[in-house]
Amino acid sequence: MNARLFCRMIAMAATALTPVMAPVAQAEDGYDLWLRYAPADQARKPGLAAHATAIVTAGTSPTLTIATQEVQRGIAGMTGAIPTVSATIQQGTLWLATPASAPALPIKTDGLGSEGYAIRTTMIDGKAVTLIAANSDIGLLHGAYHWLRLAQSGTSLDKLDIRSAPKIGLRLLNHWDNLNGTVERGYAGQSIWDWWRLPDWKGPRYTDYARANASIGINGTVLNNVNAKADSLTAPYIAKAAALADVFRPYGIKVYLSVKWTAPMELDGLKTADPLDPAVAAWWKAKADEIYKAIPDFGGFLVKANSEGQPGPQDYQRTHADGANMLAAAVKAHGGIVMWRAFVYAHDNPDDRAKQAYSDFKPLDGKFADNVIVQVKNGAIDFQPREPFHPLFGAMPKTPLMMEFQITKEYLGQSTHLTYLGPLFEEVLDADTYAKGKGSTVAKVIDGSLDGHKLTGIAGVANIGVDRDWSGSIFNQADWYAFGRLAWDTSLSAQDIAKEWAEMTFSPDQKVVQPIVKMMMGSREAAVDYMTPLGLTHVMDTGHHYGPGPWVSDLARPEWNPVYYHKADANGIGFDRTKTGSDAVGQYAPPVAKMWANVKTTPERDLLWFHHVPWDYRLSSGETVWDGLIHRYDNGVRYVADMQTTWASLKPYVDAERFAETQAFLTIQHREAQWWRDASIAYFQSVSKRPLPAGSAAPAHDLQWYKALEFPYAPGHN
Ligand code: BDP
């Protein structure tokens, strides 16, 4: 397309976007995420436009074209003026350059790596210029998105001097998407991958997906579910993955695949999947060669093995390291990596489930090939509303470990609850493992700085589907956004991220932003309160994990039953993980173990995770643990009611469509929070036989009523 035609199209789009009367809020369906580029206040428009009258790029590439068009789109949307594409620097130029394309660059790019950037306002030949500098075009694209973020959030663009580079190398989404279009633990509709019509049809949504991810620095995506089908490694599916890789490449995003351990047997009739069998290794080598022929920059494999019924090397009396290293050898020559998941617990192991991954993996420290990274969930059980950090962080200094967070909210209210995950991510990243003394945070383990690793990574289980708003709700978009921002820079605060997200998603007007940020910041703690207060865990109903089921006790494996986790009886409640119990605390570095071993020094938020205490045990407030539990359930429900009030007050400032959806979802959340509270109290009261503290209402129904509820069609459950 020639430049003039493009500009005409942009102009038309701008006209379409600029409302005649400039109303505060136009109906929106959320498709544009945080890249809305909504019209700025009249007062801000001229200033904004003046900072990008023209765009100069040193050199050309698909990535630079994307950066240029994104800035044009952004400025056109916000101001109605369209920056020209120019060869020469003029007043108000946005200049994108690398040292290779512009040797006289007035900014040093040392330390920015291959993805980072610097942004500086400066004078060149008497003209005010904003220079975005990087070592690569991808770095320039990231810089352009940063600049657009500032522009959208109402920040002054007059005096900028920014340098930013990610410390973590692999910043990936993990899609638990199945080849039949369903998404395991997906609450935003079917998969966005239209496997059936790929590779021929590459719909526009793939491009918008890449834009959204590039705008927050995500640089890789695992396309298929960790509960993988062998079919994704057949030639037709490799071609489909290659088509997606072609779309994502100019955005700096690589594709990866989850693999099924027994693929060589299933696809080509091999007699075994023993990793030490030469025929098996040869099969994987040939498969890797085939993939790299189609996708030269393929990232590598993600593996769930010997976990929840998935096959793996232990079926052949081999270790996880034997398995990982065999696959690593297959991709090594191509520069690929293997992400081997540590989410394992065995049906025949009577030990505390929270201890099993450590027991399996700790002895393997130092035994993995150098292109293997072990992917560890944030906590030792499973993406609960709150878990202490996983004991493997800090315990495997000779092995690169990557973080696995869950962005999709399997256990945090699924699609409708407003439970902003930024504070959860932040809490885990900031947790101190004490592996090498004070300050050995989880963030430093995964960014490689604690133990000197170069291979580093962080993954988030995606919350993306074909819903128009991508994530099942407007506020769920913030979790995708926060994951990307923290993956880029673990030192950012969840609050600052919420603020910039709200500014871009709703309006830079602080009258709107402040109440929204306040709602978001307390929302995860509220969910902890109405679901799993005081360190309770995994009390969700079976299978779909939707709603409460603390009474469930009849499932085949002990650790599938909520009663296993809370151990409530007539005397008390909680899981003793000290020496008198499972001694899970012994898996942590001594200062941490010491803190959690003592009921008095254990933070109350983790109390029942580590201790079994009598119902009369006194909390720091002076109330009993029983009363404290009830009060927390009450607080959680109250918080949701407060969010409803706050949201109602924002009606004049938010467009009708997004306002109505959020209002309806808060109504659902309030009803469900009340249900969580009532059902949990009905059950625990049947065990503790204690009266409710004064002022706390009795549950609306008796325990049988809650137990009888069934949800055979709850989403996200295969
Ligand atoms: C659990 C999910 C299950 C996943 C599993 C995993 O309930 O659907 O397959 O984790 O991470 O959270 O492998």
Side-chain angles (χ1 to χ4, degrees), residues 88 143 213 286 306 318 367 396 437 441 554 630 636:
T88 51
N213 281 318
N306 294 118
R318 311 298 185 196
K367 299 217 160 68
M396 294 184 68
T441 59
D554 58 352
I630 309 299

Side-chain angles (χ1 to χ4, degrees), residues 257-282:
L257 290 172
S258 296
V259 296
K260 181 150 187 203
W261 187 253
T262 45
M265 300 167 76
E266 291 181 44
L267 298 181
D268 285 309
L270 268 67
K271 294 274 169 303
T272 175
D274 179 349
L276 300 194
D277 186 304
V280 172

Side-chain angles (χ1 to χ4, degrees), residues 607-626:
L607 182 66
L608 305 178
W609 181 283
F610 289 113
H611 301 278
H612 186 83
V613 297
W615 292 111
D616 282 334
Y617 176 81
R618 294 280 160 188
L619 298 173
S620 57
S621 61
E623 62 191 344
T624 64
V625 84
W626 169 250

